[in-house]
Structures are given as structure tokens and as C-alpha cells.
């Protein structure tokens, strides 16, 4: 995806457009997942996906104003093109996750089912993001996301597959393990893009630390799921 897309006299940020397409892909993956078991996987997912995507994109795009508020009155048209840094992106995703869980609880959806739906949405969104943003560097991560999505959507529906481990929280646990271990393995062999920072801790980059954290979070969630039944 080009960094800047010009439509007539309007210039749009290519990365922002990629994020919007990824959000739509995440919702599409969620629809396919719920279609496998409408009774047990139904929920207000459309509203949650739209709200979470808006929050994440707004914080990512306009978070730069917290660092450079003068852009608002000195170069307001520049805001149509620029986006925030990785820090703003991480903050946006974190806020979107909090919104998802909070709104799900308000609408009567349990914590673990809400995490399952969020994991499926994330898998679909990350698949498209890796395909469109920098394929030459991220095709391995896209392959991991595609495999995860195929497993999540292809698993037996709860009513017919309880013996297969289809319990609340299992999709989120599986996503954490696959994304954590799979993407960490890919990162050890893939050619790093030029914008990746050098290793920060124990020879790992910030992205690799994030993959490791995803695996650890899955282990904690797995223990919590087993304890709560």
C-alpha cells in the first residue's frame, strides 16, 4: 500500500486506509466464526468492532497532537496525511481492547466469550494488515495469522464439539499461543524491516517482546479459564 494515496486533490494516508481495511477484515472473520455456532457465539460484535476500530484509529492518527499540538493551527491539512508513531498505535489498540471488554460486559457478554470474539477479530485484522502494509517483510506473520484464522473458524461448534475443547476462552488462549510462539519464531528468521529498532532486552526487539508477552498472557488466561471452569 503506498504511503500516500491521491484522489483528485485529496491526499490520504495509505497506512490509515490499510487500518480501515484491516478492521473490516477483522469483522468479516468474526462473522464467519459466529456463523459456525450462532446460538453460543452471538453477540453485539458489529457495534463493538466499529467502536473499537474508531477508538484505535483516532488515537493512532491524532495522538501526535499530544506531542506537537501546534500542528492543529499551523498545518491542519497535514493531519490528513500523517499518523502517529508506534507508541500511539499501541495506545490506540490498548484503549480499543479496554472498550471492547467494557462494552461487552455492559451488554451482558461474559469476559471469556468477549475475549474469544476479540481474538478472532484480531486474527483477521492482523492477516490483512500484514498482507497490505509491508508484505515483503511480513508475509511470514501473515501466514501465521492465516493458519490461526483457519483453525479458529474451522473448529467444531460448541454444541457438537465439547470434547474438542470448545469452551469459553479457548479461542483467546489458542490465539495467544499461536500468535506468540508462531510470530516469535518467524521473527527469528525473517528479514527485519529497516524501521525495526535494535534489540532492547535479552537480545529481543520490542516486537519480539510483545510476541513473548502474548504467549505468557495465553498461559495465564489458560490457567484462569481452567480454575473458573
Amino acid at each position: 500500500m503506498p504511503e500516500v494515496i491521491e484522489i483528485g486533490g485529496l491526499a490520504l494516508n495509505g497506512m490509515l486506509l490499510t487500518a480501515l481495511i484491516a478492521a473490516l477484515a477483522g469483522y468479516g472473520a468474526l462473522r464467519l466464526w459466529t456463523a459456525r455456532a450462532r446460538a453460543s457465539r452471538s453477540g453485539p460484535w458489529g457495534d463493538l468492532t466499529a467502536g473499537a476500530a474508531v477508538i484505535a484509529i483516532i488515537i493512532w492518527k491524532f495522538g501526535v497532537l499530544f506531542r506537537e499540538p501546534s500542528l492543529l493551527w499551523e498545518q491542519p491539512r497535514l493531519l490528513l496525511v500523517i499518523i502517529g508513531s508506534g507508541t500511539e498505535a499501541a495506545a490506540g489498540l490498548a484503549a480499543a481492547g479496554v472498550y471492547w471488554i467494557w462494552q461487552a460486559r455492559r451488554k451482558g457478554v461474559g469476559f471469556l466469550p468477549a475475549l474469544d470474539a476479540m481474538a478472532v477479530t484480531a486474527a483477521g485484522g492482523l492477516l490483512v494488515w500484514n498482507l497490505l502494509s509491508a508484505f515483503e517483510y511480513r508475509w511470514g506473520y501473515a501466514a501465521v495469522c492465516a493458519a490461526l484464522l483457519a483453525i479458529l473458524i474451522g473448529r467444531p461448534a460448541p454444541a457438537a464439539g465439547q470434547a474438542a475443547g470448545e469452551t469459553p476462552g479457548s479461542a483467546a488462549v489458542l490465539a495467544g499461543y499461536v500468535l506468540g510462539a508462531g510470530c516469535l519464531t518467524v521473527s527469528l528468521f525473517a528479514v527485519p524491516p529497516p524501521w525495526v529498532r535494535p534489540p532492547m532486552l535479552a537480545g529481543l526487539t520490542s516486537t519480539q517482546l510483545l510476541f513473548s508477552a502474548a504467549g505468557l498472557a495465553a498461559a495465564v488466561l489458560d490457567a484462569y479459564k481452567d480454575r473458573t471452569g
Side-chain angles (χ1 to χ4, degrees):
M1 183 74 72
E3 291 187 5
V4 178
I5 300 174
E6 295 186 2
I7 304 176
L10 181 63
L12 300 176
N13 188 284
M15 297 300 289
L16 181 60
L17 182 58
T18 300
L20 291 171
I21 296 174
L24 291 175
Y27 179 63
L30 186 57
R31 289 294 299 270
L32 291 175
W33 180 72
T34 55
R36 295 275 293 173
R38 296 183 186 279
S40 59
R41 293 174 178 170
S42 62
W45 309 132
D47 293 341
L48 294 184
T49 303
V54 168
I55 289 174
I57 291 175
I58 286 178
I59 294 178
W60 177 39
K61 180 165 181 59
F62 297 107
V64 66
L65 291 176
F66 286 99
R67 291 185 285 108
E68 300 181 50
S70 60
L71 287 175
L72 190 59
W73 56 84
E74 292 180 355
Q75 295 177 293
R77 294 188 62 182
L78 191 59
L79 294 175
L80 294 174
V81 180
I82 65 172
I83 55 175
S85 64
T87 301
E88 282 84 27
L93 290 174
V98 172
Y99 168 84
W100 185 289
I101 298 300
W102 171 53
Q103 284 297 310
R105 296 296 295 271
R106 286 191 61 189
K107 296 176 183 295
V109 180
F111 175 66
L112 292 177
L115 281 183
D116 285 340
M118 185 165 61
V120 175
T121 306
L126 286 172
L127 169 60
V128 171
W129 173 264
N130 287 316
L131 287 176
L132 296 182
S133 61
F135 178 78
E136 65 275 23
Y137 298 111
R138 295 175 175 159
W139 65 268
Y141 304 115
V144 172
C145 293
L148 171 61
L149 200 57
I151 295 172
L152 291 174
I153 295 176
R155 297 176 82 192
Q162 288 291 350
E166 179 69 26
T167 55
S170 60
V173 170
L174 178 62
Y177 283 138
V178 172
L179 290 177
C183 291
L184 180 60
T185 301
V186 168
S187 72
L188 296 176
F189 300 96
V191 177
W195 57 83
V196 170
R197 296 179 180 178
M200 298 177 57
L201 179 65
L204 299 177
T205 65
S206 57
T207 305
Q208 291 171 332
L209 291 173
L210 183 62
F211 296 149
S212 302
L216 290 175
V220 172
L221 181 61
D222 200 7
Y224 170 79
K225 179 174 69 70
D226 291 341
R227 193 177 72 173
T228 58

